[in-house]
Structures are given as structure tokens and as C-alpha cells.
């Protein structure tokens, strides 16, 4: 019976993402506080999401979570994963920070850390800690607001239907561009290699583009909606 219930549960969740929603999302979204480019802001927040990152928002998160992410192996025939994977950090070192650095440096040159072959070591470090910093900021600032005033079931249905609302397409854009360069935003602007303080000032400005209350509220709303079904 438990297996049957689990199967039915997963089928219902899959339907939210892969089946066209029955509600009228074109009229539902304008009534929300989502930004006009919510698909971009959400895709940025989740494109390298992990199970551990999801647990910041809901401790029930597992490897079956229906949060689309870029495949860690960017040259795989399947560029987008249907579920955020575990982060794969080891425990050879004492601190989580050093174990994160260990994973980054241990995957240099094999294009299987979700970024592709064009990122330098320091760019990889900046990216992964930026994402973790962003998730923590969302949890601290916008997550409590969304919990206090949660989105409607209709909004959650529309947001969870990532095959139809542009979120999965935006994640796919990231996956595709990792094969050819180092995009750190979905703004489609060239970015300098991170070699000095001048370059970092550009990187920092681009990264902070997604720290606005509107961008973080988009992500928090999506994460709230998808986490309802775990």
C-alpha cells in the first residue's frame, strides 16, 4: 500500500511539471507578486540546486523533488535533470567550506561539476559559494514572507508546471551556454574572465542582480510551491 501511495504521489507531481495546467495561468500570474521575468529569476536560483539546498526550505526534500537543474555532466545527452541531485561533497576535511573546495578542485578538467570546461578554478569557487549564499539569503529574507502569505493552489500549479511556464527553458539556456562559456546570469551579456579585482567588480555586480527582493521573492514562491508536494 505504501508503494502504491508513493507511486500515485509521484505521478501527481510529475503531472504538475509535465502536463499542461488546467487553470488559466495567463490570468493567474498577473494577480501575484511575481516579477515579469520570474522564469529567469527562478531558473537562476535553481539551476544548480541540490537536495541539501532544498532542505534549507523543507527538511523533507529528497532526490525525488521535481526541481529541474543543469546536469553536472554538461555534455550528457540529458542536459537537464528532472530532479536536483545531492551535492556530493565529501568529508575528508573538517569544515564544509574546505570540502566544497575539495570537490571543485577534484573535478577540474572533467566537465562534470555542472559548469563545463571554460570555468577557471576561482570562477568555480565564486559560483558555488554565490549560489549557497543566495539560497541562504532567500531563506532569511523572502521565505518567511511567503510562508506568512502563501500563494494560492492555482499559482502553485502554474509555477510547478515548469515545462509550460518558461522555467525549464531558462534552465536549459544555462545548460546550453555552459558548453561554450561562463555565463553567470541569464542576461546574455559577455563576462570577463575572473583574473583581477576589476573583473570581480563586474562579476559582483552581475551576481547581485539576483539579490533584489523581487528576484528572491520569485524563487521563494516557487520553492514554497514545489515543496508542498514532497
Amino acid at each position: 500500500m505504501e508503494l502504491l501511495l508513493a507511486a500515485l504521489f509521484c505521478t501527481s507531481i510529475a503531472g504538475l511539471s509535465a502536463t499542461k495546467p488546467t487553470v488559466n495561468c495567463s490570468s493567474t500570474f498577473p494577480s501575484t507578486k511575481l516579477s515579469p521575468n520570474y522564469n529567469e529569476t527562478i531558473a537562476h536560483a535553481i539551476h544548480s540546486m541540490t537536495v541539501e539546498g532544498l532542505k534549507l526550505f523543507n527538511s523533507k526534500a529528497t532526490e525525488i523533488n521535481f526541481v529541474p537543474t543543469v546536469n553536472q555532466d554538461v555534455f550528457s545527452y540529458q542536459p537537464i535533470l528532472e530532479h536536483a541531485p545531492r551535492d556530493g561533497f565529501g568529508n575528508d576535511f573538517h569544515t564544509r567550506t574546505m570540502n566544497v573546495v575539495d570537490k571543485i578542485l577534484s573535478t577540474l578538467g572533467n566537465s562534470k561539476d555542472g559548469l563545463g570546461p571554460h570555468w577557471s578554478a576561482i570562477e568555480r569557487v565564486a559560483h558555488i559559494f554565490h549560489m549557497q549564499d543566495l539560497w541562504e539569503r532567500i531563506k532569511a529574507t523572502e521565505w518567511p514572507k511567503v510562508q506568512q502569505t502563501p500563494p494560492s493552489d492555482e499559482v502553485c500549479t502554474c509555477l510547478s508546471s515548469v515545462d509550460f511556464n518558461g522555467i525549464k527553458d531558462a534552465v536549459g539556456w544555462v545548460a546550453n551556454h555552459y558548453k561554450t562559456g561562463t555565463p553567470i546570469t541569464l542576461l546574455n551579456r559577455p563576462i570577463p574572465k575572473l583574473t583581477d579585482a576589476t573583473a570581480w567588480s563586474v562579476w559582483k555586480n552581475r551576481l547581485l542582480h539576483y539579490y533584489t527582493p523581487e528576484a528572491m521573492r520569485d524563487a521563494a514562491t516557487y520553492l514554497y510551491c514545489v515543496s508542498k508536494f514532497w
Side-chain angles (χ1 to χ4, degrees):
M1 177 60 74
E2 290 182 356
L3 290 176
L4 176 59
L5 290 175
L8 292 173
F9 172 78
C10 289
T11 300
S12 67
I13 302 303
L16 286 177
S17 62
T19 303
K20 191 172 184 178
T22 55
V23 299
N24 187 346
C25 294
S26 62
S27 62
T28 298
F29 279 142
S31 65
T32 70
K33 295 181 179 180
L34 294 170
S35 69
N37 60 331
Y38 68 87
N39 65 314
E40 173 196 324
T41 54
I42 293 171
H44 174 83
I46 67 172
H47 77 276
S48 59
M49 181 59 78
T50 64
V51 173
E52 290 77 8
L54 293 174
K55 284 183 178 292
L56 287 173
F57 305 94
N58 188 325
S59 61
K60 296 180 180 179
T62 69
E63 291 175 281
I64 305 299
N65 50 66
F66 295 93
V67 175
T69 59
V70 175
N71 194 328
Q72 293 290 293
D73 183 356
V74 296
F75 291 105
S76 168
Y77 71 93
Q78 182 185 9
I80 303 175
L81 300 179
E82 298 297 325
H83 309 281
R86 294 195 177 276
D87 59 31
F89 301 146
N91 55 9
D92 291 334
F93 292 96
H94 181 67
T95 65
R96 178 176 175 83
T97 299
M98 194 61 200
N99 282 314
V100 172
V101 172
D102 176 45
K103 182 191 176 183
I104 294 170
L105 298 183
S106 296
T107 56
L108 282 176
N110 67 13
S111 301
K112 293 184 179 180
D113 68 345
L115 296 177
H118 303 285
W119 294 65
S120 69
I122 191 61
E123 290 168 349
R124 293 166 190 266
V125 170
H127 175 268
I128 198 166
F129 281 110
H130 152 63
M131 295 310 306
Q132 293 184 11
D133 183 77
L134 178 62
W135 300 336
E136 292 281 1
R137 182 75 70 87
I138 292 169
K139 174 67 180 295
T141 60
E142 297 302 319
W143 183 251
K145 299 176 185 177
V146 172
Q147 287 184 304
Q148 185 175 7
T149 309
S152 67
D153 290 341
E154 290 78 12
V155 170
C156 283
T157 296
C158 292
L159 272 183
S160 300
S161 303
V162 296
D163 285 282
F164 299 92
N165 58 25
I167 294 174
K168 191 173 182 180
D169 287 341
V171 172
W173 185 94
V174 177
N176 183 59
H177 281 70
Y178 278 167
K179 298 176 183 179
T180 58
T182 55
I184 62 168
T185 70
L186 280 76
L187 303 177
N188 202 23
R189 300 175 186 171
I191 189 77
K193 296 301 292 180
L194 186 50
T195 57
D196 54 28
T198 300
W200 170 244
S201 68
V202 178
W203 277 62
K204 181 177 179 179
N205 181 265
R206 299 283 179 83
L207 294 177
L208 289 174
H209 174 79
Y210 294 106
Y211 283 75
T212 65
E214 294 78 15
M216 292 191 293
R217 183 169 56 244
D218 290 347
T221 304
Y222 168 80
L223 290 168
Y224 177 89
C225 286
V226 75
S227 71
K228 289 174 60 178
F229 306 102
W230 295 338

